[in-house]
Amino acid sequence: MKAPWKYVLPVFVIYVALVFCGIFHHEIWLDEAHHWCLARDSSSLSELIYNARYDGHPLLWNILLYALAHFTNDPLAMQILNGMIISIAVLIFLHNAPLPFYISTAVIFGYFFLYEYSVLSRNYGLIFLFLTLICAIYPDRKKKYLLYLILLFLLSQAHLFATIIASVLLVLFLFENFKSEKKIFIISSFVFILIGVFILFTAIPPAGHFLYQYDVDKWYSFKRIGKAASVMWKGLFPFPDVTSGHPWNSNLVIALSKSVAIIPSVVAWIIPLVLLRKKRMLFFFYSSAFVIAGFIFLSPLIVGERHCGIFYLLLLAAMWMERKDASGAEQKIISHKIYSRSSVILFILILVVQFSAGIILYATDLRKPFSEAKEVSEWIRKNNLENELIIVHDHTTGPAISAYLGIPVFYLEEHRAGSFCQWNADPFIIPDESIGRAMENENFRPGQTILFVNNRKLDLSDKSDFTFDTAFTNGMVKAEEYYIYSVRK
């Protein structure tokens, strides 16, 4: 039974107002800016594909940004696009999700939907949109098999983790139609092969990614195992470390004690077993979750809360798709007819944590800059320095500043002007003590004034030609704080 529009529309309007208020107060950071610059500064689609080869992502989000960047140079356009995508997904969710309406409302005002996947502009909104559409037509997937397969393909192109989810759903669909529907089986098999081909050519980075040089943890180290084991806890209970001056992308329990956090991290993997009833959906959830966790364990990926939110999306999707009880009658999720009282309390606890985390991070982003890159760019313009040589260090300092200035900056590690990150740069980070020597190796014009922008304070004791100008250190993200120096060559 769908939620009436008279309930949906007022909640939706409030949600959209909050999201776009957050967007207009949010300063983009490295990951957002990197993809915007990648799209903005690729002269053709083939160049975009080549430039994105080290990203390890399917290309759908980059292609959307590439089309958008042909009309504007302003990264706000990317933020508005993401706000529109997540808003459409939320509208579909509110109207169609088989939840009591107050629960649906609590879900969308939780951390991932109010903040992480809406105010921050990445490809995760696409995952939620396609998953929501898939869930909405799931009961009629055989009648609408072409639409179902198209949505699975689009989901697979949103994110590498979404590819795993789409592939598991597709495998289930193949088994479902193996004997009874040969036509559907053949077309589904073709889509499965198509997904594999696209991922092979667009989402598997070549050797040389900088993470392989910096990730030196042993296979069975506490850090590597903990990284993979904690993702379910961080996805379901993303309460930030409010004791930190930089609470984004943190978890309070893990911050207090990584050793103690092992217990809730393990227990969190049992929660879906409590909330899911049907074997089919248990298989779907745990197959997807274990493959994603396995990838996190095996890869040098630096895990953020945004990655962990995939497990929350996965749980919501699995609960939605098993919405019929044993008699075949459609039931609301979290109904007393199919859930025990303890299960309902557990799910509501998850929602309370999600809601609290969303309010805390959303309010913090309104109160202080997420990234100081916009302030740096405005300072450069105010002082008429945009035509000077702007050198950035380390490598991750550049994209957000370039995105806001609308011009390339000089990457010391790459010995060239650029905007987006080259993840295979070697070295990816030049040690502070080697900066002076690295700059001497560049053919800068004698007497030229250089603006040097760094994301941490430099020791100037061995850098007599460096003069400290100003610093921007009020950002939510430590790596997005900046120190600016003038250098006379």
Side-chain angles (χ1 to χ4, degrees):
M1 185 176 178
K2 296 182 179 180
W5 287 110
K6 65 179 181 179
Y7 298 139
V8 170
L9 291 179
V11 173
F12 175 69
V13 169
I14 294 170
Y15 175 83
V16 171
L18 285 172
V19 164
F20 279 91
C21 177
I23 283 172
F24 289 125
H25 284 85
H26 174 75
E27 299 79 16
I28 64 172
W29 75 297
L30 164 66
D31 279 20
E32 298 168 278
H34 166 75
H35 289 277
W36 175 251
C37 291
L38 191 69
R40 184 193 69 187
D41 296 337
S42 294
S43 58
S44 65
L45 199 56
S46 60
E47 186 178 343
L48 174 69
I49 295 170
Y50 179 79
N51 288 337
R53 68 195 185 281
Y54 280 95
D55 276 20
H57 279 295
L59 293 174
L60 182 56
W61 178 240
N62 287 333
I63 291 171
L64 291 175
L65 295 184
Y66 174 77
L68 192 62
H70 276 69
F71 297 97
T72 178
N73 214 28
D74 191 344
L76 179 61
M78 169 186 66
Q79 296 176 270
I80 292 173
L81 172 65
N82 186 68
M84 292 172 62
I85 289 170
I86 197 74
S87 295
I88 293 169
V90 161
L91 182 62
I92 297 169
F93 178 84
L94 285 173
H95 183 53
N96 292 278
L99 286 159
F101 191 69
Y102 72 94
I103 295 288
S104 296
T105 302
V107 168
I108 67 161
F109 288 109
Y111 172 71
F112 292 104
F113 304 121
L114 178 65
Y115 185 69
E116 184 73 42
Y117 294 163
S118 55
V119 175
L120 277 66
S121 299
R122 288 295 309 279
N123 46 354
Y124 299 92
L126 289 172
I127 304 175
F128 183 46
L129 174 62
F130 295 133
L131 260 182
T132 301
L133 289 168
I134 287 166
C135 290
I137 71 162
Y138 187 77
D140 300 317
R141 60 194 176 281
K142 285 192 176 182
K143 293 178 183 178
K144 301 177 180 178
Y145 69 90
L146 284 178
L147 177 58
Y148 184 67
L149 291 173
I150 289 170
L151 289 172
L152 286 178
F153 177 76
L154 290 172
L155 175 63
S156 74
Q157 300 308 302
H159 190 284
L160 189 59
F161 292 171
T163 304
I164 295 169
I165 296 171
S167 298
V168 173
L169 282 173
L170 193 49
V171 168
L172 285 171
F173 197 55
L174 282 167
F175 277 105
E176 198 175 86
N177 295 283
F178 176 67
K179 293 182 179 179
S180 58
E181 300 288 347
K182 293 295 183 183
K183 180 181 177 181
I184 297 177
F185 177 79
I186 292 170
I187 297 174
S188 301
S189 300
F190 172 75
V191 173
F192 189 78
I193 294 170
L194 193 65
I195 290 173
V197 170
F198 267 74
I199 295 305
L200 182 66
F201 284 100
T202 64
I204 299 179
H209 199 293
F210 87 96
L211 280 176
Y212 289 104
Q213 300 177 36
Y214 288 88
D215 181 50
V216 294
D217 301 313
K218 295 180 180 179
W219 288 108
Y220 297 106
S221 66
F222 178 82
K223 183 179 177 181
R224 188 182 285 268
I225 294 172
K227 179 179 74 169
S230 65
V231 289
M232 185 68 70
W233 170 261
K234 292 162 74 174
L236 299 184
F237 300 98
F239 197 83
D241 179 11
V242 290
T243 66
S244 167
H246 305 92
W248 177 73
N249 211 30
S250 67
N251 187 277
L252 180 61
V253 172
I254 294 174
L256 291 175
S257 174
K258 291 183 179 179
S259 299
V260 173
I262 293 173
I263 298 172
S265 294
V266 172
V267 170
W269 282 91
I270 303 172
I271 291 175
L273 195 62
V274 176
L275 295 177
L276 295 172
R277 296 294 191 227
K278 291 187 177 180
K279 291 181 180 179
R280 182 183 182 84
M281 287 303 107
L282 282 168
F283 175 82
F284 161 61
F285 179 87
Y286 280 109
S287 295
S288 303
F290 281 133
V291 173
I292 293 171
F295 174 85
I296 289 171
F297 173 78
L298 293 171
S299 76
L301 177 71
I302 300 172
V303 178
E305 286 289 346
R306 59 194 178 278
H307 302 116
C308 302
I310 297 296
F311 295 88
Y312 183 52
L313 291 183
L314 186 58
L315 179 61
L316 289 174
M319 292 174 68
W320 186 340
M321 285 187 282
E322 70 161 18
R323 64 182 184 229
K324 292 184 179 179
D325 64 10
S327 66
E330 192 170 294
Q331 299 289 344
K332 291 282 187 185
I333 297 176
I334 308 303
S335 165
H336 67 278
K337 294 182 179 180
I338 53 176
Y339 283 94
S340 66
R341 184 180 180 86
S342 58
S343 298
V344 173
I345 292 172
L346 177 60
F347 187 72
I348 291 176
L349 177 62
I350 292 172
L351 293 182
V352 168
V353 173
Q354 294 275 345
F355 179 80
S356 302
I359 294 298
I360 290 170
L361 271 300
Y362 181 90
T364 305
D365 202 334
L366 291 181
R367 184 169 50 86
K368 58 190 297 188
F370 188 86
S371 166
E372 292 280 21
K374 188 174 184 179
E375 291 289 330
V376 169
S377 303
E378 290 175 354
W379 182 88
I380 290 172
R381 287 198 182 98
K382 181 181 178 181
N383 290 278
N384 300 312
L385 296 169
E386 61 264 41
N387 294 321
E388 301 293 341
L389 178 61
I390 301 171
I391 297 180
V392 293
H393 177 268
D394 62 41
H395 199 88
T396 58
T397 305
I401 294 174
S402 177
Y404 278 118
L405 286 176
I407 57 175
V409 292
F410 191 89
Y411 282 93
L412 196 59
E413 291 86 358
E414 297 175 23
H415 314 288
R416 69 172 186 88
S419 56
F420 53 87
C421 273
Q422 297 279 10
W423 302 115
N424 63 326
D426 187 17
F428 191 74
I429 299 175
I430 295 175
D432 287 4
E433 61 270 18
S434 303
I435 288 174
R437 187 163 58 252
M439 291 185 66
E440 289 173 1
N441 294 332
E442 302 292 345
N443 294 319
F444 298 136
R445 190 173 71 248
Q448 181 179 15
T449 298
I450 297 170
L451 207 62
F452 189 90
V453 185
N454 202 47
N455 62 0
R456 58 188 176 276
K457 192 172 184 179
L458 290 176
D459 179 3
L460 299 182
S461 59
D462 60 342
K463 300 176 180 65
S464 58
D465 49 352
F466 279 65
T467 303
F468 174 73
D469 286 336
T470 189
F472 298 88
T473 58
N474 192 40
M476 276 180 68
V477 181
K478 183 66 176 175
E480 294 291 319
E481 297 179 343
Y482 298 94
Y483 297 82
I484 302 178
Y485 303 84
S486 294
V487 186
R488 177 68 65 176
K489 288 293 179 184

